[in-house]
Amino acid sequence: MSGIELEKAEFAYLLATLHATSVVGVDDPALFPTEKEARDGTYGTGFDRLQEHGWLKPAEQPGQLILDDLLLLMTAVVADPAYVVFTARNSGGGNQKLLLHYLAEPEIVELSTTPDQKYRIGLVPDRAAMLQRIQEMLGLPDRAEAPRFQFNIEEQAFQAIQNLVGEGKRKQAAALLREQGVNGTKGESLLAALSATDSGGMIAVARASGGEIAAGRKVTVFRQADAVWLMQRIDATTTTLSLETVQPDTLSTVLGSYFEFLQGSGGK
């Protein structure tokens, strides 16, 4: 996605103009320096760079400057959203790539970091476009490519199966799955997805308040060549997990239910 690339000092300056003291999903001390000397240096550099890059321009009144309207709007949404959607994809070696979407609808803003440690910020047209970006990030299918499988399992049993797969004990894991009534193509598909530890990820939806997470739900993604599986708790109060293969409508259904939950009394 195209967007505006900001140096850390530029982003820090913009957040400071909005009196933001944190950004949900971003843990970067460089954006909120605590020492006066560091603050003065960061904000001074940010002020200069914003002018150099054309985001802070002279106003009609002599001696005054104005920030770009769109950039200021996007930063305001990031600083004080109603909801935040986290998308993390495993990239090997225990590392993850993170994509953040901030919702203060009708505005949706996407935030990510570049390889050279800049922040890329951009406006997303609507939730449908956001879903498409998440699907692309995680490599989810946009058409039916696998059978529709779904079953429930207790968290303790699933963790035991996952541990066995991680230890290379696939036969024992398959036996535990059969005890849960999961066998054949369904069982083999899940075991293959659990084995692909570097190709999954996570999606979480959080309700934000005052720059902090107030409540949230998440779904884990296990991806392999033939099928992608999603794992989530069937509700916020249980240890029962639901596992299902991803179909074209799965992501919109799951995230839609999360937003509904967070908007209702259960999310308070």
Side-chain angles (χ1 to χ4, degrees):
M1 185 196 80
S2 61
I4 297 171
E5 290 190 4
L6 297 169
E7 296 179 14
K8 288 190 177 186
E10 292 177 295
F11 197 27
Y13 179 87
L14 290 167
L15 292 167
T17 65
L18 296 167
H19 306 291
T21 57
S22 64
V23 173
V24 175
V26 178
D27 183 14
D28 186 350
L31 297 180
F32 303 99
T34 56
E35 300 296 329
K36 184 180 185 304
E37 184 176 351
R39 282 199 306 272
D40 291 346
T42 296
Y43 298 156
T45 299
F47 180 82
D48 292 340
R49 293 288 190 273
L50 286 167
Q51 290 186 80
E52 291 172 12
H53 296 144
W55 304 117
L56 189 58
K57 298 179 179 179
E60 292 183 0
Q61 298 84 355
Q64 294 189 17
L65 297 170
I66 54 172
L67 277 167
D68 179 85
D69 288 342
L70 177 59
L71 182 55
L72 189 59
L73 169 65
M74 292 191 296
T75 307
V77 172
V78 170
D80 188 24
Y83 302 96
V84 183
V85 180
F86 302 71
T87 305
R89 178 169 180 170
N90 300 336
S91 56
N95 297 315
Q96 285 188 326
K97 295 181 180 179
L98 182 64
L99 188 67
L100 295 160
H101 288 97
Y102 297 83
L103 289 76
E105 289 175 304
E107 275 70 46
I108 302 176
V109 174
E110 180 176 301
L111 183 70
S112 61
T113 55
T114 66
D116 57 351
Q117 298 303 302
K118 294 180 181 178
Y119 286 93
R120 180 180 288 116
I121 187 170
L123 208 57
V124 179
D126 49 35
R127 287 197 187 186
M130 179 184 74
L131 286 173
Q132 183 61 39
R133 290 286 294 158
I134 293 171
Q135 288 198 172
E136 292 171 356
M137 172 76 166
L138 292 174
L140 303 184
D142 55 8
R143 61 182 183 276
E145 296 180 345
R148 187 183 291 271
F149 293 139
Q150 193 279 330
F151 68 93
N152 294 342
I153 187 172
E154 283 301 309
E155 185 174 24
Q156 186 174 3
F158 178 77
Q159 287 178 345
I161 292 165
Q162 196 173 16
N163 289 339
L164 286 170
V165 171
E167 295 168 2
K169 300 176 180 178
R170 187 156 172 164
K171 288 185 178 180
Q172 292 94 320
L176 275 183
L177 267 179
R178 285 195 296 272
E179 291 179 9
Q180 303 294 322
V182 181
N183 49 37
T185 304
K186 183 192 300 186
E188 285 302 312
S189 176
L190 177 60
L191 290 175
L194 294 178
S195 300
T197 56
D198 285 344
S199 60
M202 178 275 294
I203 310 168
V205 181
R207 180 165 56 82
S209 178
E212 303 292 338
I213 294 175
R217 295 291 306 276
K218 73 172 183 177
V219 59
T220 303
V221 179
F222 302 102
R223 189 168 63 88
Q224 53 111 348
D226 298 326
V228 180
W229 286 80
L230 296 186
M231 180 196 73
Q232 61 180 320
R233 295 182 187 274
I234 61 172
D235 61 51
T237 62
T238 185
T239 58
T240 302
L241 305 176
S242 169
L243 285 103
E244 63 182 310
T245 50
V246 174
Q247 304 297 314
D249 61 340
T250 303
L251 186 60
S252 60
T253 300
V254 169
L255 294 193
S257 70
Y258 286 0
F259 282 116
E260 183 178 353
F261 165 77
L262 293 170
Q263 289 166 356
S265 59
K268 295 180 181 178

